[in-house]
Amino acid sequence: MAPKQRDVSELVRKRVEAQHLNIRQLIEKVSPGLFPQYTVLELSRKNVPKRPSMARKESKIEGERLFSEAVELLAKVLPDQGDRKDTLRRWIHRQSKNVLFFHVAIDKSGSVVGAALTDFIPDMNVAFFLRIAVDKHHRGRGIARLLVKERIWRANQESEKRGKGGIDYAITEIARPAIYGKPEEEHNFMRNIVRLSYHQQVSKFRAIAAPDGSAIGSKWYIFAINTIRAPDQKFISAREAGRLLHWYYARYNNYSKTPEGREMLRGIFNKLTWRAELSWKDIVLSRKTVLEAIPEHLMLELKPLSEIAMADAKVAQYIRQQKKAGKRA
């Protein structure tokens, strides 16, 4: 007597789960080469449960697996960020005026080999790049490029949905090129080779140079920008840069909470105004006051991050040594 249809389905399900296969892996076994080498998927409330215990009940087992693998990858590649799994889950499920995109790149076996988090900020019409990580054994294969393309496309899509006609900029902060501890330590390779190569070749982020030529940012980080609508432009209006910087430092990160942050706010904006007259309270309380203090026709240069890196003799020597040794990002 033939088994009932539901019994057959249950046998197949158990067989698949016992071999740790998902649907994609099963299809790949039956029809090799059907999928591209890497595919980008988006994780969201639709496919990641609010709690792991709800995964089976909500039919989100596969989403929970991909989310868990992505969290492990982020922790492995970016240990300095200290992202907790429960925090990242809350990011996915948060109710916010911003829109978070959590993308994962998977290989043919269905394993997560890349991950990226991006904030779309509606009132600024920008994509803020939060995190990106690619498994070290899969670098140099175009995964980061796929993730960047997808995160910009999704931010554009969200911008158009809101009647803004696509994003104006992608922005982020990057660690200043420097050598910490011993040059051979892994964090130096990540900071000065992997990240710089990614920004130079893939993300197209550049530093905004203050009137004195220095890269704008905090003590440890550089504010970087991709001018989406005009990717080859060499300069940006100082007032436009001021608008973006004010949003990021005074509103998004609220640097005025600490004495060190307040001093940094003053340093950044008084460089743009060419006068040391603005207090941190002026900066925080009135963006209009800040922008009107910046010379109307002042233009700021957009500098390649590699140029910023090579200005540090130790970093320049390190980069040359790595290239000579044939080490790749």
Side-chain angles (χ1 to χ4, degrees):
M1 181 177 176
K4 295 179 181 179
Q5 181 65 42
R6 64 183 179 184
D7 294 335
V8 172
S9 299
E10 183 68 10
L11 285 171
V12 171
R13 184 186 65 78
K14 288 181 178 179
R15 173 83 172 170
V16 169
E17 291 183 357
Q19 294 182 353
H20 304 287
L21 293 175
N22 53 43
I23 298 300
R24 178 190 175 91
Q25 291 171 305
L26 191 62
I27 293 173
E28 186 65 29
K29 276 183 171 290
V30 175
S31 303
L34 183 64
F35 291 107
Q37 186 175 8
Y38 300 106
T39 304
V40 175
L41 303 175
E42 184 175 335
L43 301 183
S44 69
R45 287 177 288 180
K46 294 179 180 178
N47 50 38
V48 175
K50 199 167 188 177
R51 293 189 296 274
S53 59
M54 299 171 66
R56 185 174 297 279
K57 181 180 179 181
E58 297 179 355
S59 300
K60 296 177 180 178
I61 295 175
E62 181 67 359
E64 178 64 21
R65 180 187 71 82
L66 293 174
F67 172 69
S68 296
E69 289 188 17
V71 172
E72 288 180 15
L73 177 64
L74 288 166
K76 185 177 180 180
V77 178
L78 303 171
D80 55 322
Q81 298 297 330
D83 292 322
R84 291 167 50 95
K85 189 174 183 179
D86 56 347
T87 301
L88 293 174
R89 192 186 298 276
R90 283 199 298 273
W91 280 14
I92 287 179
H93 286 270
R94 73 184 183 184
Q95 297 292 333
S96 171
K97 63 180 181 180
N98 300 342
V99 181
L100 182 81
F101 303 119
F102 194 141
H103 291 106
V104 294
I106 59 175
D107 63 12
K108 286 186 176 182
S109 72
S111 299
V112 173
V113 294
L117 284 86
T118 312
D119 246 348
F120 169 68
I121 318 296
D123 60 339
M124 296 299 292
N125 198 35
V126 300
F128 183 63
F129 282 20
L130 290 163
R131 311 273 191 275
I132 187 166
V134 175
D135 182 85
K136 64 187 301 183
H137 301 297
H138 292 80
R139 289 176 188 156
R141 302 180 187 179
I143 296 172
R145 198 176 300 277
L146 284 174
L147 288 167
V148 168
K149 182 178 179 180
E150 190 70 22
R151 64 205 305 197
I152 290 176
W153 181 82
R154 283 292 284 118
N156 261 320
Q157 187 182 48
E158 191 67 29
S159 173
E160 289 173 356
K161 186 172 79 174
R162 294 166 185 259
K164 297 178 182 290
I167 59 173
D168 298 316
Y169 308 101
I171 57 179
T172 195
E173 258 197 332
I174 70 160
R176 287 186 180 273
I179 301 294
Y180 291 104
K182 298 178 180 178
E184 64 270 17
E185 291 177 345
E186 178 65 22
H187 57 255
N188 284 312
F189 188 75
M190 173 64 74
R191 175 188 292 263
N192 300 305
I193 302 297
V194 175
R195 287 178 182 166
L196 282 180
S197 176
Y198 159 70
H199 288 302
Q200 187 78 10
Q201 301 176 29
V202 181
S203 78
K204 307 300 183 183
F205 277 109
R206 289 171 291 170
I208 300 176
D212 65 2
S214 62
I216 292 176
S218 68
K219 181 178 180 180
W220 303 109
Y221 294 93
I222 295 173
F223 184 88
I225 185 170
N226 177 333
T227 50
I228 298 292
R229 293 181 184 270
D232 297 323
Q233 75 180 62
K234 306 296 183 185
F235 297 89
I236 185 170
S237 158
R239 287 192 173 181
E240 177 67 356
R243 184 180 73 89
L244 296 169
L245 291 164
H246 189 273
W247 164 77
Y248 179 69
Y249 289 111
R251 291 170 53 200
Y252 188 80
N253 266 327
N254 199 4
Y255 272 60
S256 62
K257 285 185 175 180
T258 66
E260 185 180 22
R262 293 194 284 268
E263 189 59 32
M264 191 198 68
L265 283 174
R266 289 187 68 253
I268 289 174
F269 289 100
N270 283 318
K271 275 186 178 181
L272 296 183
T273 61
W274 283 9
R275 301 191 302 269
E277 297 176 358
L278 291 175
S279 70
W280 69 268
K281 287 185 178 179
D282 293 330
I283 296 165
V284 172
L285 295 176
S286 176
R287 185 179 73 175
K288 182 179 179 181
T289 298
V290 174
L291 297 184
E292 288 180 348
I294 298 172
E296 184 177 1
H297 301 295
L298 178 63
M299 301 296 289
L300 302 178
E301 184 182 1
L302 298 174
K303 285 190 174 183
L305 294 165
S306 56
E307 184 179 327
I308 303 294
M310 298 302 278
D312 184 315
K314 288 184 178 180
V315 173
Q317 181 184 19
Y318 177 83
I319 292 174
R320 286 194 295 268
Q321 288 173 342
Q322 297 299 317
K323 286 184 177 179
K324 187 175 181 181
K327 292 187 178 181
R328 297 173 54 197

